[in-house]
Amino acid sequence: MKHISARAFLLGITFFLTLSSLWALSDQELLARVDALVSYYDTDFSAEYIIVQDRPGQSRTTTVAGIFRRDSSDTYVIIVMDPVMNRGQGYLKQGDTLWFYDPQSGNFNSTSSTARFQNSNARNSDFTRSTLAQDYRVVAGANETLGRFNTRVLTLEAVTPEVTYPRMKIWICEDGFLRQTEDYSLSGQLLRTTAIPEYQNINGYYVPRGILMVDELRGAVVGGVFVRERTQITINRPSFTGVPDSVFSKTYLETVSR
């Protein structure tokens, strides 16, 4: 019993020191820490994303996509593998330019990072590296409990017109991970709420295990109650093995769709 108590005491001290160190950061520094935990500048990243879209009153749809990221050069490739009708569709991000490839026509068309991904509640910008500290300034901060988490809540305003949402509210846990976000229009209308309850550790790199996005505007009345659209993203088989340079190209998207 004494051994257990001593161990619990040591764990408590470690937790306190970690929490104290994290909360000692300025709110803007805290944003940079959030970015650093889920951006991978020293390695490539790839994974399978299963994106389940629930529209009240309609059938559930599932999209399976392979994602390859190279954060050091701000590029990614996404290949849709399912459903069959969309198989081979792809996205190529190169800096500020985002291309959508349609295998039926064989054409590449420029698209926006703010556009919906495969008509889900996810946006194309959700699949790239995190740049909160670069894109936003903190206008307010407070400590708040979010379920079982002690969090720092930051209210953000964009410093660039290139972002998907001009205003955000985010909840950062004591371990430095982002746990919830609320996305707002410029007028202050709540547009989307996102929850990230759990992260997975892959050889020292951290990846969300699942992401839930709730559209605060779109939905339908079911049984007399307004039910919002929601998108559940599950991230499977994350890898930090190097990806060949040839993958980040239009030629690759054309080749894999055949």
Side-chain angles (χ1 to χ4, degrees), residues 91-109:
Y91 300 78
L92 171 63
K93 183 181 188 297
Q94 295 176 318
D96 295 331
T97 303
L98 180 61
W99 300 99
F100 171 73
Y101 176 67
D102 179 11
Q104 297 299 318
S105 65
N107 293 331
F108 284 89
N109 296 302

Side-chain angles (χ1 to χ4, degrees), residues 111-187:
T111 186
S112 169
S113 61
T114 64
R116 293 179 182 274
F117 178 79
Q118 296 288 302
N119 200 32
S120 71
N121 302 120
R123 305 289 180 144
N124 293 331
S125 57
D126 292 320
F127 300 97
T128 190
R129 65 191 185 185
S130 180
T131 55
L132 289 171
Q134 175 182 325
D135 297 334
Y136 294 89
R137 67 183 181 93
V138 180
V139 296
N143 296 330
E144 186 177 305
T145 300
L146 178 68
R148 60 188 175 90
F149 299 114
N150 295 315
T151 66
R152 181 70 176 168
V153 186
L154 304 181
T155 301
L156 311 178
E157 287 185 354
V159 296
T160 170
E162 306 303 320
V163 298
T164 303
Y165 300 103
R167 294 182 178 181
M168 293 183 69
K169 191 175 181 181
I170 69 173
W171 283 255
I172 304 170
C173 192
E174 64 265 17
D175 53 16
F177 291 114
L178 194 63
R179 296 296 179 176
Q180 180 173 290
T181 69
E182 290 180 348
D183 304 314
Y184 292 85
S185 67
L186 191 59
S187 65

Side-chain angles (χ1 to χ4, degrees), residues 190-233:
L190 177 59
L191 303 176
R192 187 182 72 168
T193 300
T194 300
I196 311 173
E198 187 178 0
Y199 289 79
Q200 47 193 318
N201 184 340
I202 311 296
N203 298 323
Y205 296 100
Y206 295 93
V207 182
R209 195 175 296 277
I211 303 170
L212 175 64
M213 299 174 174
V214 178
D215 194 308
E216 299 292 347
L217 300 181
R218 300 207 303 185
V221 176
V222 179
V225 178
F226 183 77
V227 181
R228 294 172 173 82
E229 288 189 8
R230 57 179 53 206
T231 299
Q232 177 70 53
I233 300 177

Side-chain angles (χ1 to χ4, degrees), residues 3-21 150 174:
H3 175 71
I4 294 176
S5 298
R7 183 173 183 275
F9 175 77
L10 290 174
L11 288 174
I13 290 295
T14 301
F15 172 80
F16 175 78
L17 291 175
T18 302
L19 180 59
S20 299
S21 176
N150 295 315
E174 64 265 17

